[in-house]
Amino acid sequence: MSLIVQKFGGTSVANTERIFNVADIVTNTYKKGNDVVVVVSAQGDTTDDFIEKAQAINPNASKREMDMLLSAGEQISASLLAMAIEKLGYPVVSLLGWQAGFSTSSTYGSARIKRVNPDRIQKELDKKNIVIVTGFQGVNRYDDMTTLGRGGSDTSAVAIASVMHADLCQIYTDVEGVFTADPRKVPNAKKLNVISYDEMLELATLGAQVLNNRSVEMAKKYNVELEVLSSLTQVPGTIVKEETKMEKMLISGIAKDNDVARISIIGVPDKPGLAFKIFSKLAAKKVNVDVILQSVGRDNTKDISFTIPQCMMQDAIEVSNQFVDVVGASSVVYDENVSKVSIVGAGMETHPGVAAAMFESLFEANINIQMISTSEIKISVLIAREDADKAVTTIHNKFFGEE
Amino acid sequence: MSLIVQKFGGTSVANTERIFNVADIVTNTYKKGNDVVVVVSAQGDTTDDFIEKAQAINPNASKREMDMLLSAGEQISASLLAMAIEKLGYPVVSLLGWQAGFSTSSTYGSARIKRVNPDRIQKELDKKNIVIVTGFQGVNRYDDMTTLGRGGSDTSAVAIASVMHADLCQIYTDVEGVFTADPRKVPNAKKLNVISYDEMLELATLGAQVLNNRSVEMAKKYNVELEVLSSLTQVPGTIVKEETKMEKMLISGIAKDNDVARISIIGVPDKPGLAFKIFSKLAAKKVNVDVILQSVGRDNTKDISFTIPQCMMQDAIEVSNQFVDVVGASSVVYDENVSKVSIVGAGMETHPGVAAAMFESLFEANINIQMISTSEIKISVLIAREDADKAVTTIHNKFFGEE
């Protein structure tokens, strides 16, 4: 007998039919003799509907009251799912975040889980109940309702799995798992059977959003085995676990990120400490800098380029222009029509030819590389946005073969 | 400075406009220097929508999960009202039943309030917050969500008022107060300025449903002064308080109840103990018997008539037929087309002419009285349903004068 935590997102419980589909998955797992804890998000558009209602009343409503409102969403989906499971004839109980022992920080709207006291969940499991827990929510030290922010239900599920030492934490979504590239763009993208936490984190950060990052970090920290799978098909998904336990794949996935812009400061005097200055000023403005490139000096000046999320363009240009005036650089140029394409793979640490193969494939496709950034298990290139989809396909063919 | 509890029903918070209307009432009370605790029901049709959703999934859903679902309704209305009050610029906090200290019995769907711990509410009042509390709900000793059953929000409000020794508990509805008769039927019905708890209880029981009975009982027990008033007009309503403090009115109201049926068992042998037998059998079937009439014996037999709610007709006829067989009575006859018309007034205890005046007015209108029942402050007659509206008008004119 195993303890299995299953998490279902909003689309998985969007209507009566979908709810019964989830009830089938849950009761099939229970029938096999497993203890089952289910974590649910709010139904389909409930959260958006609530936000709309709130906006009509007060666009500046306090986050405390927003959390009070939003947390009703999971309460509705959890109780409806419980009713469906009752209908199928199985013992079940639904629990709200506070009933399930979720203590969070006080930051309304984006609270962090501080502690999960599993006593109540355990008591219900001991009674042979299927336990449904509202995801995305908890209570803070004032006993006020809090929500965990976007993707918070994944984190709720992993938190329960970690504190209760679950054998598996299944994250049900509308995709069948983690793919080597976006399957909507790359027809021969392959589903991975297994991927490491670190690779999953790199992929999530890079725009292949399947799992919430915080949930993967937590799973890694507490060594919770995850499975990403579809609630609509009955096929195994992708297992996310510690890489030491498996054969390292050369590369596990390719991701594209369009939410990126490039800024270059031209003709910066080549004196020590100046580079630090611009990045500390950007940090003070809360601009997240991603890739940084500094050209080799020429005529005692150098060029500094960096990438940022699109929404921070204005702030970054402003800071850069001030910097140009202060240090006597020549100009600021920027480009919004860029994409970052990355390959991720734990295997590349020990295979030095990976970067070369990636660059070669881009060269063969006549795609110009503007910037390069590498980490131990990731290589990212900045290219023109118009080339991005072609780049993903080209690189995918290089590593995974043509269809 | 006073402590005022204000309760608003579902229609009072049905949409954004209505919510702001309530926010105005609340903040106007607060502006005058009062501490204000607000109790809200779920918005308009929310509860019915939830029930419909649940029915589609499982018509036999457990009451526990129904309560989990339904209690989300007040959570939504409470947080939205809080946002509206924030918009008007006043400090406010919304609290769920469990946060507001509501402990109830374990009977899901119709739990009774066992205790209200007002610590959190008081703490928020001390911080000068307007406090909004979700009506109709609490938690039982398992820390599970419970609802109080129909009209439960009135009871929630009175419970807070009693435990916090509020100076006034205002029940806002869509009528301006308690009237001497149904104002939609009797155009010259008068709004009462004041009525006693006992009179209010008799009127509520008799079908003039303005206040939930349990809330009036609780208000009487803890001597909470109630005011029934409209959330849509700015006029004083009806005060409900202990009768000793006021001049006794001869009669305070006339009520009609259509949810009644009459059953007569004809030709019951005139032996001791037989009457007891039929009523204990009815009680065993959980049939609520209201008025009982036993004819004077003739030929060593008598007729026993009684009234019951319409929904219990089938059970009552079945029990009566068995009774006829067992004791050797002649037959069972029944009539669903009857109404009970009652007058209520604390003053009638000391004015013996009231009953006579009521019967006289019915005689003048040529209305036949089928059964009569009296208590210290109430006189009820059973008449044909087709005569009921005319009876109310006739009696009203007799006691309150024509328009």
Side-chain angles (χ1 to χ4, degrees), chain A residues 43 53 58 62 64-65 68 71 75 83 86 94 99 120 143-144, chain B residues 43 53 58 62 64-65 68 71 75 83 86 94 99 120 143-144:
Chain A
Q43 286 187 289
K53 269 195 170 188
N58 184 355
S62 68
R64 181 196 184 277
E65 296 301 335
M68 181 68 112
S71 54
Q75 184 166 346
M83 291 173 197
E86 285 176 348
S94 70
Q99 294 172 316
R120 176 72 191 270
D143 261 357
D144 280 345
Chain B
Q43 285 187 290
K53 269 193 169 189
N58 184 355
S62 69
R64 181 195 184 277
E65 297 300 335
M68 181 67 112
S71 56
Q75 185 166 346
M83 292 174 196
E86 285 178 348
S94 70
Q99 294 173 315
R120 176 73 192 268
D143 260 357
D144 280 345

PDB file of all heavy atoms in Angstrom, chain A residues 43 53 58 62 64-65 68 71 75 83 86 94 99 120 143-144, chain B residues 43 53 58 62 64-65 68 71 75 83 86 94 99 120 143-144:
ATOM      1  N   GLN A  43     -12.464  25.643  -9.985  1.00  0.00           N
ATOM      2  CA  GLN A  43     -12.980  25.249 -11.299  1.00  0.00           C
ATOM      3  C   GLN A  43     -12.658  26.281 -12.361  1.00  0.00           C
ATOM      4  O   GLN A  43     -12.840  27.486 -12.141  1.00  0.00           O
ATOM      5  CB  GLN A  43     -14.499  25.137 -11.252  1.00  0.00           C
ATOM      6  CG  GLN A  43     -15.040  23.923 -10.539  1.00  0.00           C
ATOM      7  CD  GLN A  43     -16.539  23.844 -10.721  1.00  0.00           C
ATOM      8  OE1 GLN A  43     -17.250  24.652 -10.150  1.00  0.00           O
ATOM      9  NE2 GLN A  43     -17.007  22.911 -11.525  1.00  0.00           N
ATOM     10  N   LYS A  53     -15.697  40.254 -10.552  1.00  0.00           N
ATOM     11  CA  LYS A  53     -16.678  40.766  -9.582  1.00  0.00           C
ATOM     12  C   LYS A  53     -16.031  41.784  -8.644  1.00  0.00           C
ATOM     13  O   LYS A  53     -16.600  42.839  -8.361  1.00  0.00           O
ATOM     14  CB  LYS A  53     -17.213  39.600  -8.720  1.00  0.00           C
ATOM     15  CG  LYS A  53     -18.461  38.936  -9.260  1.00  0.00           C
ATOM     16  CD  LYS A  53     -19.101  38.060  -8.164  1.00  0.00           C
ATOM     17  CE  LYS A  53     -20.483  37.592  -8.607  1.00  0.00           C
ATOM     18  NZ  LYS A  53     -21.239  36.912  -7.551  1.00  0.00           N
ATOM     19  N   ASN A  58     -14.326  47.255  -6.453  1.00  0.00           N
ATOM     20  CA  ASN A  58     -13.189  48.032  -5.964  1.00  0.00           C
ATOM     21  C   ASN A  58     -11.899  47.530  -6.593  1.00  0.00           C
ATOM     22  O   ASN A  58     -11.338  46.525  -6.163  1.00  0.00           O
ATOM     23  CB  ASN A  58     -13.116  47.911  -4.435  1.00  0.00           C
ATOM     24  CG  ASN A  58     -12.020  48.765  -3.845  1.00  0.00           C
ATOM     25  OD1 ASN A  58     -11.241  49.393  -4.560  1.00  0.00           O
ATOM     26  ND2 ASN A  58     -11.943  48.786  -2.524  1.00  0.00           N
ATOM     27  N   SER A  62      -8.251  45.387  -0.939  1.00  0.00           N
ATOM     28  CA  SER A  62      -7.093  44.878  -0.199  1.00  0.00           C
ATOM     29  C   SER A  62      -6.833  43.438  -0.595  1.00  0.00           C
ATOM     30  O   SER A  62      -7.754  42.691  -0.943  1.00  0.00           O
ATOM     31  CB  SER A  62      -7.352  44.972   1.303  1.00  0.00           C
ATOM     32  OG  SER A  62      -8.373  44.063   1.667  1.00  0.00           O
ATOM     33  N   ARG A  64      -5.989  41.163   1.398  1.00  0.00           N
ATOM     34  CA  ARG A  64      -6.607  40.290   2.397  1.00  0.00           C
ATOM     35  C   ARG A  64      -8.011  39.876   1.960  1.00  0.00           C
ATOM     36  O   ARG A  64      -8.377  38.709   2.008  1.00  0.00           O
ATOM     37  CB  ARG A  64      -6.700  40.998   3.754  1.00  0.00           C
ATOM     38  CG  ARG A  64      -7.320  40.105   4.826  1.00  0.00           C
ATOM     39  CD  ARG A  64      -7.773  40.865   6.053  1.00  0.00           C
ATOM     40  NE  ARG A  64      -8.259  39.939   7.048  1.00  0.00           N
ATOM     41  CZ  ARG A  64      -9.491  39.432   7.072  1.00  0.00           C
ATOM     42  NH1 ARG A  64     -10.369  39.755   6.140  1.00  0.00           N
ATOM     43  NH2 ARG A  64      -9.851  38.581   8.007  1.00  0.00           N
ATOM     44  N   GLU A  65      -8.807  40.855   1.536  1.00  0.00           N
ATOM     45  CA  GLU A  65     -10.183  40.531   1.134  1.00  0.00           C
ATOM     46  C   GLU A  65     -10.198  39.760  -0.185  1.00  0.00           C
ATOM     47  O   GLU A  65     -11.071  38.911  -0.398  1.00  0.00           O
ATOM     48  CB  GLU A  65     -11.034  41.797   1.066  1.00  0.00           C
ATOM     49  CG  GLU A  65     -11.219  42.518   2.419  1.00  0.00           C
ATOM     50  CD  GLU A  65     -11.882  41.651   3.495  1.00  0.00           C
ATOM     51  OE1 GLU A  65     -12.622  40.712   3.150  1.00  0.00           O
ATOM     52  OE2 GLU A  65     -11.635  41.896   4.696  1.00  0.00           O
ATOM     53  N   MET A  68      -9.691  36.271   0.765  1.00  0.00           N
ATOM     54  CA  MET A  68     -10.937  35.748   1.352  1.00  0.00           C
ATOM     55  C   MET A  68     -11.885  35.320   0.235  1.00  0.00           C
ATOM     56  O   MET A  68     -12.499  34.250   0.291  1.00  0.00           O
ATOM     57  CB  MET A  68     -11.575  36.851   2.209  1.00  0.00           C
ATOM     58  CG  MET A  68     -12.843  36.457   2.887  1.00  0.00           C
ATOM     59  SD  MET A  68     -12.562  35.217   4.164  1.00  0.00           S
ATOM     60  CE  MET A  68     -12.945  36.188   5.627  1.00  0.00           C
ATOM     61  N   SER A  71     -10.317  32.242  -2.112  1.00  0.00           N
ATOM     62  CA  SER A  71     -10.204  30.914  -1.492  1.00  0.00           C
ATOM     63  C   SER A  71     -11.547  30.190  -1.464  1.00  0.00           C
ATOM     64  O   SER A  71     -11.595  28.985  -1.221  1.00  0.00           O
ATOM     65  CB  SER A  71      -9.590  31.014  -0.096  1.00  0.00           C
ATOM     66  OG  SER A  71     -10.304  31.918   0.703  1.00  0.00           O
ATOM     67  N   GLN A  75     -12.920  25.823  -2.386  1.00  0.00           N
ATOM     68  CA  GLN A  75     -13.928  25.239  -1.491  1.00  0.00           C
ATOM     69  C   GLN A  75     -15.064  24.637  -2.312  1.00  0.00           C
ATOM     70  O   GLN A  75     -15.558  23.545  -2.023  1.00  0.00           O
ATOM     71  CB  GLN A  75     -14.447  26.340  -0.559  1.00  0.00           C
ATOM     72  CG  GLN A  75     -15.417  25.866   0.486  1.00  0.00           C
ATOM     73  CD  GLN A  75     -15.617  26.909   1.578  1.00  0.00           C
ATOM     74  OE1 GLN A  75     -14.845  27.861   1.691  1.00  0.00           O
ATOM     75  NE2 GLN A  75     -16.651  26.744   2.374  1.00  0.00           N
ATOM     76  N   MET A  83     -18.565  15.142  -3.646  1.00  0.00           N
ATOM     77  CA  MET A  83     -19.911  14.625  -3.944  1.00  0.00           C
ATOM     78  C   MET A  83     -19.872  13.602  -5.083  1.00  0.00           C
ATOM     79  O   MET A  83     -20.602  12.612  -5.066  1.00  0.00           O
ATOM     80  CB  MET A  83     -20.841  15.777  -4.328  1.00  0.00           C
ATOM     81  CG  MET A  83     -21.150  16.702  -3.156  1.00  0.00           C
ATOM     82  SD  MET A  83     -22.086  18.160  -3.697  1.00  0.00           S
ATOM     83  CE  MET A  83     -21.839  19.234  -2.262  1.00  0.00           C
ATOM     84  N   GLU A  86     -18.541  10.441  -3.651  1.00  0.00           N
ATOM     85  CA  GLU A  86     -19.627   9.808  -2.881  1.00  0.00           C
ATOM     86  C   GLU A  86     -20.575   9.070  -3.822  1.00  0.00           C
ATOM     87  O   GLU A  86     -21.008   7.953  -3.552  1.00  0.00           O
ATOM     88  CB  GLU A  86     -20.429  10.868  -2.112  1.00  0.00           C
ATOM     89  CG  GLU A  86     -19.717  11.433  -0.884  1.00  0.00           C
ATOM     90  CD  GLU A  86     -20.528  12.546  -0.214  1.00  0.00           C
ATOM     91  OE1 GLU A  86     -21.513  13.028  -0.822  1.00  0.00           O
ATOM     92  OE2 GLU A  86     -20.162  12.938   0.899  1.00  0.00           O
ATOM     93  N   SER A  94     -13.755  16.272   2.235  1.00  0.00           N
ATOM     94  CA  SER A  94     -12.999  17.406   1.709  1.00  0.00           C
ATOM     95  C   SER A  94     -12.557  18.303   2.865  1.00  0.00           C
ATOM     96  O   SER A  94     -13.274  18.450   3.851  1.00  0.00           O
ATOM     97  CB  SER A  94     -13.854  18.209   0.715  1.00  0.00           C
ATOM     98  OG  SER A  94     -14.894  18.885   1.377  1.00  0.00           O
ATOM     99  N   GLN A  99      -8.093  23.501   7.541  1.00  0.00           N
ATOM    100  CA  GLN A  99      -8.428  22.221   8.159  1.00  0.00           C
ATOM    101  C   GLN A  99      -7.330  21.195   7.899  1.00  0.00           C
ATOM    102  O   GLN A  99      -7.085  20.318   8.726  1.00  0.00           O
ATOM    103  CB  GLN A  99      -9.764  21.710   7.604  1.00  0.00           C
ATOM    104  CG  GLN A  99     -10.955  22.580   7.974  1.00  0.00           C
ATOM    105  CD  GLN A  99     -12.227  22.154   7.261  1.00  0.00           C
ATOM    106  OE1 GLN A  99     -12.224  21.878   6.059  1.00  0.00           O
ATOM    107  NE2 GLN A  99     -13.330  22.109   7.990  1.00  0.00           N
ATOM    108  N   ARG A 120      -4.834  16.021  10.722  1.00  0.00           N
ATOM    109  CA  ARG A 120      -6.218  15.812  10.296  1.00  0.00           C
ATOM    110  C   ARG A 120      -6.269  14.924   9.052  1.00  0.00           C
ATOM    111  O   ARG A 120      -7.114  14.015   8.973  1.00  0.00           O
ATOM    112  CB  ARG A 120      -6.880  17.173  10.022  1.00  0.00           C
ATOM    113  CG  ARG A 120      -8.300  17.078   9.471  1.00  0.00           C
ATOM    114  CD  ARG A 120      -9.283  16.627  10.538  1.00  0.00           C
ATOM    115  NE  ARG A 120     -10.581  16.284   9.989  1.00  0.00           N
ATOM    116  CZ  ARG A 120     -11.599  17.125   9.833  1.00  0.00           C
ATOM    117  NH1 ARG A 120     -11.482  18.393  10.189  1.00  0.00           N
ATOM    118  NH2 ARG A 120     -12.743  16.705   9.337  1.00  0.00           N
ATOM    119  N   ASP A 143      -4.761  33.776  11.667  1.00  0.00           N
ATOM    120  CA  ASP A 143      -5.906  32.936  11.317  1.00  0.00           C
ATOM    121  C   ASP A 143      -6.705  33.531  10.171  1.00  0.00           C
ATOM    122  O   ASP A 143      -7.926  33.363  10.089  1.00  0.00           O
ATOM    123  CB  ASP A 143      -6.831  32.711  12.524  1.00  0.00           C
ATOM    124  CG  ASP A 143      -6.558  31.358  13.178  1.00  0.00           C
ATOM    125  OD1 ASP A 143      -5.717  30.607  12.659  1.00  0.00           O
ATOM    126  OD2 ASP A 143      -7.188  31.069  14.200  1.00  0.00           O
ATOM    127  N   ASP A 144      -6.041  34.255   9.290  1.00  0.00           N
ATOM    128  CA  ASP A 144      -6.706  34.821   8.113  1.00  0.00           C
ATOM    129  C   ASP A 144      -6.383  33.980   6.884  1.00  0.00           C
ATOM    130  O   ASP A 144      -5.307  33.395   6.777  1.00  0.00           O
ATOM    131  CB  ASP A 144      -6.228  36.263   7.879  1.00  0.00           C
ATOM    132  CG  ASP A 144      -6.934  37.238   8.794  1.00  0.00           C
ATOM    133  OD1 ASP A 144      -7.966  36.857   9.384  1.00  0.00           O
ATOM    134  OD2 ASP A 144      -6.454  38.370   8.928  1.00  0.00           O
TER     135      ASP A 144
ATOM    136  N   GLN B  43     -25.156  35.907  -1.570  1.00  0.00           N
ATOM    137  CA  GLN B  43     -25.802  36.761  -2.566  1.00  0.00           C
ATOM    138  C   GLN B  43     -26.988  36.072  -3.229  1.00  0.00           C
ATOM    139  O   GLN B  43     -26.884  34.915  -3.639  1.00  0.00           O
ATOM    140  CB  GLN B  43     -24.816  37.096  -3.682  1.00  0.00           C
ATOM    141  CG  GLN B  43     -23.766  38.105  -3.331  1.00  0.00           C
ATOM    142  CD  GLN B  43     -22.965  38.470  -4.564  1.00  0.00           C
ATOM    143  OE1 GLN B  43     -22.190  37.666  -5.069  1.00  0.00           O
ATOM    144  NE2 GLN B  43     -23.157  39.673  -5.079  1.00  0.00           N
ATOM    145  N   LYS B  53     -25.876  22.876  -8.863  1.00  0.00           N
ATOM    146  CA  LYS B  53     -24.603  22.260  -9.241  1.00  0.00           C
ATOM    147  C   LYS B  53     -24.431  20.916  -8.544  1.00  0.00           C
ATOM    148  O   LYS B  53     -24.017  19.932  -9.152  1.00  0.00           O
ATOM    149  CB  LYS B  53     -23.426  23.166  -8.842  1.00  0.00           C
ATOM    150  CG  LYS B  53     -22.989  24.150  -9.902  1.00  0.00           C
ATOM    151  CD  LYS B  53     -21.619  24.759  -9.534  1.00  0.00           C
ATOM    152  CE  LYS B  53     -21.040  25.534 -10.711  1.00  0.00           C
ATOM    153  NZ  LYS B  53     -19.657  25.968 -10.538  1.00  0.00           N
ATOM    154  N   ASN B  58     -24.625  14.846  -7.685  1.00  0.00           N
ATOM    155  CA  ASN B  58     -25.056  13.792  -6.768  1.00  0.00           C
ATOM    156  C   ASN B  58     -26.262  14.252  -5.954  1.00  0.00           C
ATOM    157  O   ASN B  58     -26.107  14.978  -4.975  1.00  0.00           O
ATOM    158  CB  ASN B  58     -23.890  13.433  -5.831  1.00  0.00           C
ATOM    159  CG  ASN B  58     -24.222  12.285  -4.919  1.00  0.00           C
ATOM    160  OD1 ASN B  58     -25.356  11.801  -4.901  1.00  0.00           O
ATOM    161  ND2 ASN B  58     -23.234  11.835  -4.154  1.00  0.00           N
ATOM    162  N   SER B  62     -23.721  13.976   0.609  1.00  0.00           N
ATOM    163  CA  SER B  62     -23.769  14.043   2.076  1.00  0.00           C
ATOM    164  C   SER B  62     -24.002  15.479   2.517  1.00  0.00           C
ATOM    165  O   SER B  62     -23.600  16.429   1.847  1.00  0.00           O
ATOM    166  CB  SER B  62     -22.461  13.533   2.670  1.00  0.00           C
ATOM    167  OG  SER B  62     -21.416  14.435   2.375  1.00  0.00           O
ATOM    168  N   ARG B  64     -22.623  16.868   4.956  1.00  0.00           N
ATOM    169  CA  ARG B  64     -21.332  17.475   5.290  1.00  0.00           C
ATOM    170  C   ARG B  64     -20.756  18.217   4.082  1.00  0.00           C
ATOM    171  O   ARG B  64     -20.327  19.359   4.186  1.00  0.00           O
ATOM    172  CB  ARG B  64     -20.324  16.411   5.738  1.00  0.00           C
ATOM    173  CG  ARG B  64     -18.981  17.020   6.110  1.00  0.00           C
ATOM    174  CD  ARG B  64     -17.866  15.997   6.203  1.00  0.00           C
ATOM    175  NE  ARG B  64     -16.642  16.632   6.645  1.00  0.00           N
ATOM    176  CZ  ARG B  64     -15.792  17.290   5.838  1.00  0.00           C
ATOM    177  NH1 ARG B  64     -16.063  17.419   4.561  1.00  0.00           N
ATOM    178  NH2 ARG B  64     -14.697  17.835   6.333  1.00  0.00           N
ATOM    179  N   GLU B  65     -20.746  17.554   2.925  1.00  0.00           N
ATOM    180  CA  GLU B  65     -20.171  18.190   1.743  1.00  0.00           C
ATOM    181  C   GLU B  65     -21.067  19.314   1.233  1.00  0.00           C
ATOM    182  O   GLU B  65     -20.579  20.314   0.705  1.00  0.00           O
ATOM    183  CB  GLU B  65     -19.894  17.159   0.647  1.00  0.00           C
ATOM    184  CG  GLU B  65     -18.854  16.096   1.031  1.00  0.00           C
ATOM    185  CD  GLU B  65     -17.476  16.679   1.375  1.00  0.00           C
ATOM    186  OE1 GLU B  65     -17.152  17.771   0.891  1.00  0.00           O
ATOM    187  OE2 GLU B  65     -16.742  16.038   2.155  1.00  0.00           O
ATOM    188  N   MET B  68     -20.080  22.232   3.221  1.00  0.00           N
ATOM    189  CA  MET B  68     -18.788  22.724   2.737  1.00  0.00           C
ATOM    190  C   MET B  68     -19.017  23.624   1.523  1.00  0.00           C
ATOM    191  O   MET B  68     -18.443  24.704   1.411  1.00  0.00           O
ATOM    192  CB  MET B  68     -17.919  21.524   2.368  1.00  0.00           C
ATOM    193  CG  MET B  68     -16.543  21.881   1.862  1.00  0.00           C
ATOM    194  SD  MET B  68     -15.506  22.620   3.138  1.00  0.00           S
ATOM    195  CE  MET B  68     -14.302  21.307   3.349  1.00  0.00           C
ATOM    196  N   SER B  71     -21.324  26.978   2.394  1.00  0.00           N
ATOM    197  CA  SER B  71     -20.704  28.012   3.221  1.00  0.00           C
ATOM    198  C   SER B  71     -19.756  28.894   2.410  1.00  0.00           C
ATOM    199  O   SER B  71     -19.365  29.965   2.875  1.00  0.00           O
ATOM    200  CB  SER B  71     -20.004  27.396   4.436  1.00  0.00           C
ATOM    201  OG  SER B  71     -19.063  26.436   4.029  1.00  0.00           O
ATOM    202  N   GLN B  75     -18.963  33.490   2.181  1.00  0.00           N
ATOM    203  CA  GLN B  75     -17.569  33.927   2.066  1.00  0.00           C
ATOM    204  C   GLN B  75     -17.433  34.923   0.915  1.00  0.00           C
ATOM    205  O   GLN B  75     -16.746  35.937   1.027  1.00  0.00           O
ATOM    206  CB  GLN B  75     -16.694  32.694   1.827  1.00  0.00           C
ATOM    207  CG  GLN B  75     -15.212  32.971   1.798  1.00  0.00           C
ATOM    208  CD  GLN B  75     -14.404  31.686   1.905  1.00  0.00           C
ATOM    209  OE1 GLN B  75     -14.939  30.628   2.266  1.00  0.00           O
ATOM    210  NE2 GLN B  75     -13.119  31.764   1.606  1.00  0.00           N
ATOM    211  N   MET B  83     -14.910  44.789   0.380  1.00  0.00           N
ATOM    212  CA  MET B  83     -14.251  45.580  -0.668  1.00  0.00           C
ATOM    213  C   MET B  83     -15.003  46.873  -0.944  1.00  0.00           C
ATOM    214  O   MET B  83     -14.402  47.919  -1.194  1.00  0.00           O
ATOM    215  CB  MET B  83     -14.151  44.753  -1.955  1.00  0.00           C
ATOM    216  CG  MET B  83     -13.190  43.577  -1.833  1.00  0.00           C
ATOM    217  SD  MET B  83     -13.252  42.528  -3.317  1.00  0.00           S
ATOM    218  CE  MET B  83     -12.441  41.048  -2.676  1.00  0.00           C
ATOM    219  N   GLU B  86     -14.231  49.211   1.854  1.00  0.00           N
ATOM    220  CA  GLU B  86     -12.870  49.736   1.629  1.00  0.00           C
ATOM    221  C   GLU B  86     -12.917  50.862   0.602  1.00  0.00           C
ATOM    222  O   GLU B  86     -12.279  51.904   0.764  1.00  0.00           O
ATOM    223  CB  GLU B  86     -11.948  48.632   1.091  1.00  0.00           C
ATOM    224  CG  GLU B  86     -11.506  47.604   2.132  1.00  0.00           C
ATOM    225  CD  GLU B  86     -10.640  46.497   1.528  1.00  0.00           C
ATOM    226  OE1 GLU B  86     -10.574  46.408   0.280  1.00  0.00           O
ATOM    227  OE2 GLU B  86     -10.054  45.717   2.294  1.00  0.00           O
ATOM    228  N   SER B  94     -13.420  41.187   7.017  1.00  0.00           N
ATOM    229  CA  SER B  94     -14.463  40.167   6.958  1.00  0.00           C
ATOM    230  C   SER B  94     -13.974  38.900   7.662  1.00  0.00           C
ATOM    231  O   SER B  94     -12.789  38.568   7.611  1.00  0.00           O
ATOM    232  CB  SER B  94     -14.835  39.853   5.499  1.00  0.00           C
ATOM    233  OG  SER B  94     -13.791  39.178   4.845  1.00  0.00           O
ATOM    234  N   GLN B  99     -13.814  31.888  12.100  1.00  0.00           N
ATOM    235  CA  GLN B  99     -12.933  32.963  12.568  1.00  0.00           C
ATOM    236  C   GLN B  99     -13.648  33.834  13.582  1.00  0.00           C
ATOM    237  O   GLN B  99     -13.038  34.383  14.491  1.00  0.00           O
ATOM    238  CB  GLN B  99     -12.486  33.814  11.376  1.00  0.00           C
ATOM    239  CG  GLN B  99     -11.607  33.069  10.377  1.00  0.00           C
ATOM    240  CD  GLN B  99     -11.322  33.880   9.132  1.00  0.00           C
ATOM    241  OE1 GLN B  99     -12.220  34.500   8.566  1.00  0.00           O
ATOM    242  NE2 GLN B  99     -10.071  33.884   8.694  1.00  0.00           N
ATOM    243  N   ARG B 120     -12.200  37.433  18.662  1.00  0.00           N
ATOM    244  CA  ARG B 120     -11.656  37.985  17.425  1.00  0.00           C
ATOM    245  C   ARG B 120     -12.464  39.204  16.980  1.00  0.00           C
ATOM    246  O   ARG B 120     -11.890  40.227  16.565  1.00  0.00           O
ATOM    247  CB  ARG B 120     -11.662  36.909  16.330  1.00  0.00           C
ATOM    248  CG  ARG B 120     -11.208  37.378  14.955  1.00  0.00           C
ATOM    249  CD  ARG B 120      -9.717  37.605  14.888  1.00  0.00           C
ATOM    250  NE  ARG B 120      -9.305  38.308  13.695  1.00  0.00           N
ATOM    251  CZ  ARG B 120      -8.930  37.733  12.548  1.00  0.00           C
ATOM    252  NH1 ARG B 120      -8.900  36.420  12.458  1.00  0.00           N
ATOM    253  NH2 ARG B 120      -8.553  38.466  11.522  1.00  0.00           N
ATOM    254  N   ASP B 143     -14.189  20.448  13.783  1.00  0.00           N
ATOM    255  CA  ASP B 143     -13.649  21.538  12.964  1.00  0.00           C
ATOM    256  C   ASP B 143     -14.151  21.457  11.533  1.00  0.00           C
ATOM    257  O   ASP B 143     -13.443  21.843  10.601  1.00  0.00           O
ATOM    258  CB  ASP B 143     -12.105  21.532  12.973  1.00  0.00           C
ATOM    259  CG  ASP B 143     -11.562  22.564  13.950  1.00  0.00           C
ATOM    260  OD1 ASP B 143     -12.368  23.293  14.550  1.00  0.00           O
ATOM    261  OD2 ASP B 143     -10.332  22.632  14.109  1.00  0.00           O
ATOM    262  N   ASP B 144     -15.334  20.934  11.345  1.00  0.00           N
ATOM    263  CA  ASP B 144     -15.932  20.865  10.014  1.00  0.00           C
ATOM    264  C   ASP B 144     -16.958  21.988   9.843  1.00  0.00           C
ATOM    265  O   ASP B 144     -17.619  22.387  10.796  1.00  0.00           O
ATOM    266  CB  ASP B 144     -16.626  19.507   9.810  1.00  0.00           C
ATOM    267  CG  ASP B 144     -15.632  18.415   9.454  1.00  0.00           C
ATOM    268  OD1 ASP B 144     -14.489  18.761   9.086  1.00  0.00           O
ATOM    269  OD2 ASP B 144     -15.998  17.238   9.557  1.00  0.00           O
TER     270      ASP B 144
END
